[in-house]
Amino acid sequence: QARWDEVLGRIEVEGGTTEQYRTFYSCLYRSTLFPRKFYEIDKNGNILHYSPYNGEVLPGYMYTDTGFWDTFRSLFPLLNLVYPSVNAEIQAGLANAYRESGFLPEWASPGHRGCMVGNNSASVVSDAILKGVTPEEDIATLYEAMLAGRRKVHPTVSSTGRLGHEYYNTLGYIPYDVGINENVARTLEYAYDDWCIAQVAKKLGKTNDAAMLEKASQNYKNLFDPETRLMRGRNADGTF
């Protein structure tokens, strides 16, 4: 009872019906189920985790079982506002994931999993840094991880890193006719993620990075078709 009160009592609501209270707190409870803790505390009080990325037992935090494509818009902003100490651990775990695999996860279960599109770890990491949640010692690593993710894709898990980065970083979009599925969705996601990283670059005083990223964040415009007034797949030669 004390644990439930501690977690769910972070938010107090009033003015509703009993049924509305049940709905609200049931939803809040479900919001705390994932990501899962993937670390233990040894007899000496040390934080340890088994790394799903390299198979070693290492010091520090690790969380798993979450897909950022689903959660970057709502769950992680909620964690920053209501459970910042938990998201601080999650961010430390993301820094460890990068150290152990060379990538930030996009869908961890428990390691890198091929699912969904986008590079939304950038949004999750940026939001925490900008809101002062991320442990100070992990900020530089996580910033490096976000920049690294713009220029590569995991060799076996195409949803980790940026599939089509070579096109996106040169043409400003992922073409329709190069064999990469969800090319429009990927381009739009990457542009938003670049905007997120740009905000961190500004905060850290990295003006050259910020200017480059701000420019890249406008890449969504490259897929707007003025004839249909919709975002459309565009071929490598520029034609719709």
Side-chain angles (χ1 to χ4, degrees), residues 3 6 10 32 35-41 45-49 59-64 66 68 76 79-80 83-100 104-105 124-125 128-129 132-138 142:
R3 182 60 178 151
E6 177 190 0
R10 294 290 182 94
T32 65
R36 289 192 227 257
K37 291 181 178 179
F38 206 59
Y39 67 86
E40 297 182 10
I41 303 173
N46 300 311
I47 306 296
L48 301 170
H49 69 272
Y61 291 103
M62 182 62 62
Y63 279 73
T64 191
T66 188
F68 296 147
F76 279 91
L79 294 179
N80 285 330
Y83 307 105
S85 62
V86 174
N87 202 23
E89 292 182 3
I90 294 172
Q91 298 302 313
L94 289 174
N96 286 331
Y98 174 68
R99 294 182 186 109
E100 294 158 22
L104 291 171
V124 169
V125 167
I129 291 175
V133 170
T134 306
E136 191 70 32
E137 62 270 21
D138 292 314
L142 288 169

Side-chain angles (χ1 to χ4, degrees), residues 30-38 52-53 62-71 75-76 79 90 94 105-113:
R30 289 179 175 85
S31 296
T32 65
L33 294 179
F34 300 95
R36 289 192 227 257
K37 291 181 178 179
F38 206 59
Y53 303 105
M62 182 62 62
Y63 279 73
T64 191
D65 291 341
T66 188
F68 296 147
W69 185 88
D70 285 333
T71 56
L75 175 63
F76 279 91
L79 294 179
I90 294 172
L94 289 174
E106 300 298 334
W107 197 287
S109 61
H112 296 301
R113 194 70 54 230

Side-chain angles (χ1 to χ4, degrees), residues 19-36:
E19 229 15 74
Q20 288 172 327
Y21 290 153
R22 285 175 176 154
T23 298
F24 177 84
Y25 284 109
S26 293
C27 291
L28 182 61
Y29 162 74
R30 289 179 175 85
S31 296
T32 65
L33 294 179
F34 300 95
R36 289 192 227 257

Side-chain angles (χ1 to χ4, degrees), residues 5 7-8 23 25 49 70 73 80 92 104 106 124 156 163 166 168 183 188 199 208 210 215 221 225 231:
D5 288 345
V7 174
L8 301 183
T23 298
Y25 284 109
H49 69 272
D70 285 333
R73 297 175 180 87
N80 285 330
L104 291 171
E106 300 298 334
V124 169
T156 59
L163 182 63
E166 62 271 49
Y168 176 85
N183 40 84
L188 299 182
Q199 309 316 303
N208 291 339
K215 182 179 179 182
K221 297 177 181 178
D225 178 4
M231 297 295 181

